Amino acid sequence: MILLKRLIDWIDVRVGVREVVEKELTGYLLPRNINTWFSMGSVLLVIFGIQVLSGILLLIYYVPDADKAFKSVTSIMNDVPFGWLIRMCHAVGSNTMVVVLLLHMLSVLFMGSYKRPRELNWLTGFILFTMVQGISLTGYLLPWSQLSFWATTVATNSANAIPVVGPALVEFLRGSKLVGPATLGRFFALHVALIPAGMIALIGAHLFFLKRTGVSTPPFGLQNTTNQWQGDSYHHEDHPGGIPFFPNYAMEDLRSIFIYLACFLAVVFFDPYLFFPKDAFIPANSLVTPAHIKPEWYFLANYQVLKIFPNELIGLTLQGAAMTFLALLPFVDRGKECHPLKRPLFLLCAIGGLLLWIGLTIWGHYS
Amino acid sequence: MEKGGRRKFLGICLGGCVAGIAAAVLYPVYRYLAPRSGSGATARVEIPEKDVPEGEAKFFEYGGSSAVLVRKRDGSLVALSAVCTHLGCIVQWEKDTQGFLCPCHAGHYTPDGVVTSGPPPKPLTKLPFTVANGSIRIG
Ligand code: HEM
Ligand code: FES
């Protein structure tokens, strides 16, 4: 104990760590009415960490070669001690990450924290969301199963509907006319190098914006729930008299993290194949298309939209428009009010949109 | 209860939980990374006698490492580990001089594995073998 104190003293006189702790942890005050939804970001950081670590471990035995990929994954599952655990953590984690990401986005939406001055926070977050989709899509191909192969065939094929450049774009995405070894090479590079590096950069930007602007005040339990930002000069939103981040809110973060881990490990241990249709266990065969090829659950709505419209271009355009609208939401929705119940139009659109998405997902699942 | 006793007790419980979680994570990761021995380590190797003519050497995998069989000019057989006793390079058979040369730091051995020059501190390890029905069995 005394030794530890002397070590900290030694560091403190040199770099002033106690001042950093005072400023960033114990003296970092959060709004008094902060709630559990604000811990979703920390949960996401933990999930991202788990994905990176389990991913690096998988790289030790995974072979990114069309002839060997499926066998190497099978051997991770059956031969390598605890290989099943590492792989299941990675595969299940990719799904639960999307769940938590959706919760994070929904809470930011309903509490109006995307509104100015936090447009950049929303924008970086939204780009992170598309990157999570991209990293899932590219990771899906790597086991080189029937599911991987045909889901990628269908997903890349949808770009065909884009006028003029469509067919060339599809070939560029695949690296060949059809999905094949060339596709595996580029998806592997995207999945393990480019997208993770980009995500780290964007998480950095996301947290930087959060830090500079200050945490938003949730609109619950207050008289005035409008956004006080003037917009004439830079101003950090402080919360005098608020709750210290450490230890108070750190405990709440930890509680959410452990609740998440309990749910996550429950799936890993008791229903690991929850997200695995049976085509995931058959090696890829470029000459045999399986009967019901479906994307992952969070792409089912997109899949169903493409199916509804006889003209794929309409389906694709609608999705592009919806994504662009969401990305630019803080620039469209410029009202000052943050409380969801005092924003009827927003509430209507948000709940309507959510129900539409859920409906399309269920439809896509059963169609 | 003595002063601070409750705090200390809870601190120990917390430390125990953290240690338990750390062990539950590190043990599978260690097992995942640990080299897997066992497979093939004790397997015997059979080589037909005609594969090793007089004055020649035959290299093969044995017990997860490299080994060599030599038939000397006098017709007798020797089985050796091919791992140089200096820093572990694999020795080469020199047919003209009828000896082993380690290319890494020029260690020289006789066909029996005895060091004749260079840095190797010990002779090459001899391997047990038997010959029966035209086949050499090592191990
Ligand atoms: C890899 C994914 C992500 C990570 C690791 C992450 C992490 C975080 C963290 C740690 C915070 C601070 C605590 C909190 O309010 O939860 C935060 C805040 C925020 N995030 Fe994210 N986030 C991610 C994705 C997103 C996405 C997809 C969006 C929306 C499109 C988004 C929008 C926001 C906004 C607007 C805030 C500010 C909230 C406030 O100050 O009230 N984030 N994020
Ligand atoms: S390793 Fe063989 S001589 Fe140095």
Side-chain angles (χ1 to χ4, degrees):
Chain A
M1 260 326 182
I2 295 169
L3 216 64
L4 187 69
K5 191 184 166 295
R6 295 219 353 225
L7 179 67
I8 294 173
D9 284 342
W10 189 91
I11 300 174
D12 194 36
V13 284
R14 284 165 179 80
V15 284
V17 276
R18 287 206 172 88
E19 190 186 304
V20 176
V21 168
E22 161 66 28
K23 190 158 164 268
E24 308 294 340
L25 298 174
T26 51
Y28 173 34
L29 300 181
L30 301 171
R32 288 205 77 81
N33 62 341
I34 195 161
N35 55 45
T36 305
W37 296 107
F38 285 70
S39 60
M40 291 303 130
S42 302
V43 178
L44 281 167
L45 284 177
V46 169
I47 303 177
F48 185 70
I50 296 177
Q51 291 305 101
V52 170
L53 286 180
S54 57
I56 292 174
L57 288 173
L58 287 174
L59 274 179
I60 294 171
Y61 296 107
Y62 172 76
V63 185
D65 175 315
D67 293 330
K68 299 181 184 145
F70 188 82
K71 251 191 95 187
S72 71
V73 173
T74 312
S75 142
I76 291 173
M77 291 296 285
N78 299 332
D79 306 332
V80 182
F82 293 101
W84 59 271
L85 181 60
I86 309 284
R87 174 167 185 234
M88 283 303 138
C89 281
H90 199 75
V92 172
S94 72
N95 282 278
T96 48
M97 181 171 199
V98 176
V99 175
V100 180
L101 200 53
L102 292 177
L103 292 179
H104 182 51
M105 288 175 77
L106 285 174
S107 71
V108 163
L109 273 176
F110 281 96
M111 294 191 284
S113 22
Y114 58 89
K115 295 190 171 208
R116 58 193 182 167
R118 295 186 178 77
E119 297 96 328
L120 292 172
N121 239 317
W122 172 265
L123 212 57
T124 48
F126 196 82
I127 300 172
L128 274 170
F129 173 63
T130 57
M131 289 178 122
V132 169
Q133 292 187 318
I135 208 165
S136 303
L137 197 80
T138 50
Y140 216 45
L141 181 67
L142 303 189
W144 208 250
S145 65
Q146 274 293 70
L147 181 70
S148 308
F149 188 92
W150 294 100
T152 305
T153 297
V154 175
T156 46
N157 207 45
S158 56
N160 243 330
I162 299 171
V164 192
V165 292
L169 183 63
V170 172
E171 199 174 327
F172 184 79
L173 288 172
R174 293 176 177 171
S176 48
K177 281 236 161 1
L178 297 174
V179 173
T183 322
L184 183 59
R186 53 188 60 211
F187 274 38
F188 178 69
L190 285 172
H191 186 80
V192 307
L194 192 65
I195 303 181
M199 283 179 73
I200 289 169
L202 267 136
I203 291 173
H206 196 66
L207 296 182
F208 173 77
F209 292 135
L210 174 84
K211 196 87 205 123
R212 290 301 294 167
T213 311
V215 175
S216 67
T217 311
F220 304 117
L222 301 175
Q223 284 298 315
N224 181 358
T225 52
T226 61
N227 186 326
Q228 299 298 311
W229 192 63
Q230 298 300 318
D232 42 7
S233 64
Y234 168 70
H235 166 74
H236 181 269
E237 185 170 342
D238 323 289
H239 304 282
I243 300 165
F245 172 73
F246 188 88
N248 302 45
Y249 203 72
M251 279 298 144
E252 188 131 353
D253 272 348
L254 262 183
R255 182 182 63 188
S256 301
I257 290 167
F258 276 102
I259 292 174
Y260 164 76
L261 286 178
C263 301
F264 165 67
L265 291 177
V267 178
V268 168
F269 288 125
F270 297 107
D271 197 2
Y273 292 150
L274 179 61
F275 302 110
F276 282 77
K278 65 180 189 313
D279 288 321
F281 302 100
I282 304 169
N285 182 341
S286 58
L287 300 175
V288 181
T289 314
H292 304 286
I293 207 74
K294 293 256 172 85
E296 283 168 296
W297 61 270
Y298 43 86
F299 287 129
L300 281 173
N302 309 64
Y303 162 88
Q304 190 57 28
V305 169
L306 285 179
K307 255 175 97 167
I308 296 172
F309 295 96
N311 180 340
E312 285 209 329
L313 183 58
I314 299 178
L316 218 56
T317 313
L318 278 175
Q319 290 183 42
M323 288 296 272
T324 312
F325 174 75
L326 268 180
L328 299 180
L329 183 66
F331 304 98
V332 178
D333 177 11
R334 299 169 62 86
K336 278 183 178 296
E337 182 54 54
C338 290
H339 198 293
L341 296 181
K342 296 182 193 161
R343 293 188 286 152
L345 180 63
F346 164 83
L347 206 59
L348 197 74
C349 296
I351 293 178
L354 198 59
L355 289 178
L356 183 67
W357 184 80
I358 295 174
L360 283 168
T361 301
I362 297 174
W363 191 4
H365 180 76
Y366 287 106
S367 69
Chain B
M1 202 179 243
E2 72 180 279
K3 193 161 163 267
R6 188 199 302 257
R7 178 173 282 255
K8 200 167 171 186
F9 174 74
L10 289 174
I12 291 171
C13 289
L14 186 65
C17 288
V18 171
I21 293 173
V25 172
L26 291 179
Y27 176 72
V29 171
Y30 170 72
R31 287 290 312 280
Y32 182 83
L33 294 174
R36 273 173 300 154
S37 52
S39 56
T42 52
R44 294 182 169 170
V45 179
E46 297 240 11
I47 291 168
E49 262 200 284
K50 62 173 169 22
D51 280 12
V52 201
E54 216 177 279
E56 304 264 2
K58 178 161 177 68
F59 287 82
F60 56 95
E61 294 260 328
Y62 174 73
S65 180
S66 299
V68 62
L69 259 177
V70 197
R71 192 184 292 279
K72 293 193 284 187
R73 288 277 189 231
D74 65 8
S76 61
L77 276 169
V78 189
L80 297 166
S81 156
V83 181
C84 177
T85 56
H86 180 220
L87 294 176
C89 293
I90 301 302
V91 295
Q92 288 173 1
W93 177 244
E94 305 267 272
K95 205 180 165 197
D96 335 332
T97 57
Q98 289 290 302
F100 291 106
L101 162 70
C102 178
C104 288
H105 314 95
H108 283 271
Y109 300 86
T110 67
D112 288 305
V114 178
V115 183
T116 48
S117 71
K122 282 184 300 191
L124 295 173
T125 314
K126 285 219 153 89
L127 301 176
F129 67 95
T130 52
V131 186
N133 308 324
S135 158
I136 309 161
R137 173 188 272 196
I138 300 99

